[in-house]
């Protein structure tokens, strides 16, 4: 009978240890699931009426209490399980039982209470978080006095060492978190285009309108004093629907004529252009500084319900024009219609190089060709060469920057108009000839 009592005690101790290991695994797996669950997906489920998703989000908003309750419960069951195992092994093996208990419980806790439940939770984080959320709402409430005390001690200790804990992330941290989430999907072809668009949206606040505007050299403008017939012909021959009007000098923009408004006026005037005053059908110009960010300008376009703005510098001189389409192209890429000019200033060559006009912007090259050229100190490719060369180069000169080869093809006065650019991995013509001669020798 005594022997039967000893066996029964052993069964009770073994059962208690197994139950505690299961509880330890529950705490460990729940910690992984709750912290690894996708907050965007939970927000979506919460908006769709999933009550458990709302509970998870509330728990995560007070993550100090949640983590404190999980760690408190996990440590309690682990220490209790280890104590029971040590007592049992001491009865069996004497003083050596401490070493045996430490070895056995370490392996049991590591495998069945840590690695196994956390591996399972990582693969089913969202689903498991929804399952355990109601239970942990009760656990966090029960352990609240202890977790608050522990949290206070931790913060006081860190404050002694001059460390302050911030509860809220700043704007830059939130943006970095978004960028990191976007880059996690890099290389997945099904969503690669969407990833590039999302990254471009986040870049809008860092890009100024001067980097995407149509430069004044390429802007079609109309002299207000032109004969009506010539002004109408100029509007009809232009690929643009909105054209600035100036008086006396191009910097003095007095209006913007819309081709539709002009046609409406012509339908009233008939074929007699003598009485047509193009300034009467022109809209008031909207001037913006060239340092305006694309994000601010996009919001301004929405508020004013306009698609066209005249860009000026700090002295009020005309720099170019920017449209809503220019900003949208920064997000989705080039948008071409039947009136757009097909020549973009970049012509690929058979040898792998590119003939590029100096006015092509670095952002266009990066977006369309995937080139990795810095745009902090220059907007156009000609500007980058001037910045790196530190002088005005002569036609025929060759430079190498950032693993790219730049050959000056044409220069007009002090302006680089045409370059030949060879990307990394593409041999320049002279290099190809040298390599060919070396192989023949």
């Amino acid at each position: 009978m005594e022997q039967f009592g000893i066996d029964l005690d052993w069964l009770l101790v073994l059962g208690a240890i197994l139950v505690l290991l299961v509880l330890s695994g529950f705490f460990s797996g729940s910690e992984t699931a709750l912290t690894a669950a996708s907050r965007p997906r939970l927000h979506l489920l919460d908006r769709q009426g999933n009550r458990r998703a709302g509970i998870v989000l509330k728990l995560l908003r007070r993550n100090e209490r949640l983590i404190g309750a999980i760690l408190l419960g996990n440590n309690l069951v682990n220490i209790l399980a280890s104590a029971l195992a040590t007592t049992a092994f001491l009865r069996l093996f004497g003083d050596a039982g401490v070493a045996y208990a430490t070895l056995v419980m370490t392996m049991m806790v590591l495998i069945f209470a840590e690695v196994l439940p956390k591996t399972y939770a990582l693969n089913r984080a969202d689903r498991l978080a929804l399952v355990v959320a109601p239970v942990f709402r009760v656990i966090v409430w029960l352990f609240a006095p202890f977790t608050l005390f522990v949290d206070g001690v931790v913060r006081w200790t860190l404050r002694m060492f001059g460390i302050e804990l911030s509860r809220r992330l700043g704007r830059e941290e939130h943006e970095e978190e978004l960028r990191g989430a976007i880059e996690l999907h890099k290389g997945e072809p099904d969503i690669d285009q969407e990833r590039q668009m999302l990254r471009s949206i986040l870049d809008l606040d860092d890009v100024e309108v001067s980097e995407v505007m149509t430069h004044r050299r390429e802007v079609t403008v109309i002299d207000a004093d032109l004969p009506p017939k010539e002004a109408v012909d100029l509007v009809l021959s232009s690929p643009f629907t909105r054209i600035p009007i100036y008086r006396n000098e191009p910097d003095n923009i007095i209006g913007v004529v819309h081709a539709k408004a002009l046609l409406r006026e012509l339908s009233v005037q008939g074929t007699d252009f003598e009485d047509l005053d193009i300034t009467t059908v022109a809209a008031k110009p909207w001037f913006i500084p060239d340092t305006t960010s694309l994000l601010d300008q996009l919001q301004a376009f929405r508020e004013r319900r306009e698609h066209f703005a005249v860009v000026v510098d700090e002295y009020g001189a005309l720099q170019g024009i920017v449209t809503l389409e220019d900003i949208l192209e920064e997000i989705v890429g080039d948008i071409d219609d039947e009136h757009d000019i097909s020549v973009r200033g970049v012509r690929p060559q058979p040898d792998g190089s590119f003939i590029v006009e100096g006015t092509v912007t670095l952002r266009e090259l990066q977006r369309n060709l995937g080139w990795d050229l810095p745009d902090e100190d220059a907007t156009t490719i000609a500007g980058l060469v001037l910045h790196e060369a530190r002088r005005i180069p002569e036609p025929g000169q060759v430079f190498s920057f950032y693993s790219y080869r730049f050959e000056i093809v044409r220069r007009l006065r002090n302006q680089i108009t045409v370059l030949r650019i060879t990307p990394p991995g593409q041999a320049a013509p002279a290099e190809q000839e040298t390599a060919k001669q070396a192989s023949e020798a």
Side-chain angles (χ1 to χ4, degrees):
M1 194 69 181
E2 183 179 354
Q3 182 66 34
F4 178 76
I6 293 175
D7 293 341
L8 183 60
D9 290 343
W10 268 102
L11 289 176
L12 290 174
V13 170
L14 180 60
I17 292 174
L18 291 177
V19 171
L20 292 171
L21 287 175
V22 171
L23 289 175
S24 178
F26 169 74
F27 280 110
S28 297
S30 299
E31 176 188 7
T32 300
L34 290 169
T35 55
S38 171
R39 292 199 182 193
R41 193 175 294 118
L42 291 173
H43 274 291
L44 180 61
L45 292 175
D46 182 36
R47 294 185 63 181
Q48 293 174 350
N50 190 312
R51 294 181 59 189
R52 294 196 174 197
I55 296 174
V56 176
L57 292 174
K58 289 180 181 179
L59 290 172
L60 293 176
R61 290 190 192 104
R62 297 183 176 181
N63 55 356
E64 297 93 345
R65 294 188 183 184
L66 175 63
I67 297 300
I70 292 174
L71 293 178
L72 179 60
N74 202 11
N75 280 283
L76 281 175
V77 296
N78 283 341
I79 292 173
L80 183 55
S82 299
L84 290 176
T86 301
T87 302
F89 275 84
L90 282 173
R91 292 176 58 185
L92 281 176
F93 304 105
D95 293 340
V98 175
Y100 295 149
T102 301
L103 179 62
V104 171
M105 288 306 298
T106 298
M107 295 301 299
M108 295 290 287
V109 169
L110 179 64
I111 296 174
F112 297 106
E114 293 292 336
V115 177
L116 189 150
K118 288 187 174 182
T119 302
Y120 177 84
L122 279 175
N123 289 275
R124 293 170 175 81
D126 293 350
R127 187 183 306 174
L128 188 57
L130 295 175
V131 172
V132 302
V135 178
F136 271 92
R137 180 172 60 175
V138 177
I139 293 175
V140 169
W141 179 79
L142 289 175
F143 288 173
F146 304 100
T147 55
L148 287 175
F149 171 75
V150 172
D151 183 59
V153 172
V154 169
R155 290 182 177 276
W156 177 78
T157 305
L158 292 175
R159 197 175 293 117
M160 289 180 60
F161 292 95
I163 302 174
E164 291 289 341
L165 298 181
S166 176
R167 293 180 177 271
R168 299 185 62 181
L169 294 177
R171 181 182 181 279
E172 292 183 359
E173 287 81 3
H174 281 297
E175 187 172 315
E176 289 176 359
E177 187 175 340
L178 282 174
R179 291 182 184 276
I182 293 171
E183 292 303 321
L184 280 176
H185 301 285
K186 185 176 182 180
E188 299 179 18
D190 294 339
I191 61 172
D192 190 60
Q193 184 175 2
E194 290 86 346
R195 183 183 61 83
Q196 293 179 5
M197 292 170 61
L198 290 172
R199 187 172 57 186
S200 298
I201 292 174
L202 293 176
D203 288 338
L204 290 180
D205 196 33
D206 301 323
V207 182
E208 298 178 350
V209 294
S210 60
E211 300 181 49
V212 303
M213 69 180 183
T214 302
H215 196 271
R216 61 179 297 169
R217 291 191 302 269
E218 303 172 7
V219 174
T220 301
V221 291
I222 300 177
D223 188 348
D225 297 326
L226 274 180
K229 182 66 169 62
E230 293 184 23
V232 172
D233 290 341
L234 188 58
V235 172
L236 295 178
S237 63
S238 172
F240 308 110
T241 56
R242 294 175 175 85
I243 302 177
I245 301 174
Y246 72 92
R247 175 161 282 146
N248 299 329
E249 58 180 14
D251 283 334
N252 184 29
I253 303 296
I254 62 173
V256 177
V257 62
H258 195 295
K260 186 175 181 181
L262 180 61
L263 291 175
R264 189 182 297 114
E265 182 68 17
L266 289 175
S267 68
V268 176
Q269 296 281 347
T271 58
D272 185 11
F273 294 162
E274 296 302 325
D275 297 331
L276 175 65
D277 185 359
I278 197 171
T279 60
T280 60
V281 297
K284 185 178 179 181
W286 175 23
F287 297 99
I288 63 169
D290 56 359
T291 56
T292 306
S293 72
L294 294 190
L295 180 60
D296 291 338
Q297 188 57 38
L298 179 61
Q299 294 172 344
F301 275 141
R302 292 182 58 187
E303 292 173 0
R304 294 176 61 108
R305 297 184 178 180
E306 295 191 30
H307 297 175
F308 185 97
V310 180
V311 183
V312 296
D313 63 11
E314 57 183 321
Y315 303 105
L318 175 66
Q319 297 299 301
I321 57 101
V322 65
T323 66
L324 179 61
E325 183 177 330
D326 293 329
I327 299 179
L328 294 180
E329 285 183 343
E330 283 297 303
I331 301 174
V332 302
D334 289 336
I335 303 173
D336 295 330
D337 58 33
E338 65 274 18
H339 300 295
D340 279 340
I341 300 173
S342 58
V343 177
R344 292 289 176 179
V346 179
R347 300 192 303 274
Q349 302 300 302
D351 60 4
S353 64
F354 293 82
I355 300 297
V356 182
E357 295 181 7
T359 55
V360 176
T361 65
L362 295 168
R363 293 188 60 80
E364 286 178 333
L365 294 173
Q366 180 179 0
R367 185 173 64 243
N368 297 326
L369 300 179
W371 290 2
D372 186 18
L373 292 171
D375 57 0
E376 292 84 6
D377 300 310
T379 301
T380 64
I381 189 65
L384 177 65
V385 173
L386 289 174
H387 174 76
E388 296 295 339
R390 305 295 179 183
R391 63 180 182 273
I392 300 176
E394 298 291 337
Q397 281 191 282
V398 177
F399 303 92
S400 293
F401 309 125
Y402 309 105
S403 302
Y404 290 78
R405 183 180 186 273
F406 301 86
E407 179 183 351
I408 310 303
V409 177
R410 191 179 306 143
R411 195 190 82 182
L412 179 62
R413 292 187 291 275
N414 294 329
Q415 178 185 356
I416 300 174
T417 57
V418 181
L419 307 93
R420 179 188 293 272
I421 304 176
T422 305
Q426 299 290 338
E431 295 172 349
Q432 291 178 345
E433 184 65 26
T434 301
K436 181 179 179 181
Q437 293 175 359
S439 62
E440 291 175 354

